[in-house]
Amino acid sequence: MTGNLNMNMNIIASSSASWGIGSGSSLLFRIKEDMRYFKEKTTGNVVVMGRKTLDSLPGGEPLPDRVNIVLTRNKSFSREGVTAVHSLDELFDELKKYDCAVYVIGGGEIYRTLLPYCGRAYITRINAEREADVFLPDLDRDEKWQKTIHGETQTSRTGLEYSFDVYERIK
């Protein structure tokens, strides 16, 4: 298994103050500026997700202008516009084909599985709580990670305070 991919593999997610990211198959928060940030970061690059994350996208369709890779145990899974892989080795072999950034976009199990191979995490931290059943690992308490950018606190049109924070793996 390749351990050096982490220089180009990143996590991107939005989370509540307690690192909650979802409830059921939905995001906890929808902030227009966060969606724009996500699109700016990921467009023209590779996105890696689980099948449930793909299903949660509008129409269950792959994201436009990105290479969409789904990591799934279901060997019969197939969807137009998506490359399906079924193991980390298969994923890493597939990623060797691309000379661009790779963004892991969810869900929770995929984040936990791929976090050790990532070098950076782009986290939109929302200063609010909602009931969640899917969580990111708490990077503030993980000694392998450090926050390198604490973004300016902004307020969404709906009154939610958030910041675009960046964490980096400690070498």
Side-chain angles (χ1 to χ4, degrees):
M1 204 174 313
T2 305
N4 237 359
L5 278 169
N6 64 3
M7 301 327 297
N8 221 13
M9 191 182 296
N10 310 283
I11 295 276
I12 189 164
S14 62
S15 80
S16 69
S18 65
W19 295 90
I21 59 172
S23 180
S25 62
S26 298
L27 295 173
L28 293 183
F29 306 96
R30 289 202 178 271
I31 298 173
K32 190 173 188 172
E33 296 82 4
D34 178 46
M35 299 296 177
R36 187 178 308 119
Y37 178 73
F38 175 88
K39 185 176 182 180
E40 286 172 8
K41 287 282 182 205
T42 62
T43 296
N45 293 298
V46 174
V47 291
V48 177
M49 69 194 94
R51 184 197 45 79
K52 291 178 192 171
T53 297
L54 176 65
D55 289 344
S56 75
L57 298 175
E61 296 292 321
L63 294 170
D65 304 318
R66 283 154 271 210
V67 175
N68 288 257
I69 299 175
V70 171
L71 178 58
T72 177
R73 290 183 204 94
N74 181 347
K75 300 252 187 215
S76 64
F77 172 80
S78 173
R79 189 150 318 153
E80 190 174 330
V82 172
T83 299
V85 295
H86 306 96
S87 69
L88 290 181
D89 287 335
E90 202 177 330
L91 172 64
F92 295 150
D93 284 345
E94 182 65 25
L95 291 177
K96 290 175 188 172
K97 299 175 183 177
Y98 305 98
D99 186 25
C100 60
V102 175
Y103 289 91
V104 179
I105 66 168
E109 185 177 346
I110 301 298
Y111 284 131
R112 284 186 299 279
T113 299
L114 294 177
L115 185 65
Y117 304 97
C118 293
R120 189 169 285 143
Y122 296 92
I123 308 295
T124 302
R125 287 303 297 275
I126 300 155
N127 189 20
E129 290 298 338
R130 294 210 174 126
E131 193 167 327
D133 58 13
V134 181
F135 292 84
L136 276 176
D138 182 340
L139 298 181
D140 288 323
R141 293 186 182 199
D142 188 329
E143 69 279 353
K144 295 178 186 131
W145 289 86
Q146 66 182 1
K147 187 186 297 185
T148 55
I149 296 173
H150 180 81
E152 179 184 330
T153 300
Q154 301 176 54
T155 304
S156 73
R157 293 178 184 152
T158 59
L160 291 169
E161 288 187 349
Y162 64 95
S163 60
F164 297 121
D165 297 345
V166 178
Y167 292 78
E168 293 192 33
R169 178 175 294 287
I170 297 171
K171 309 247 185 291

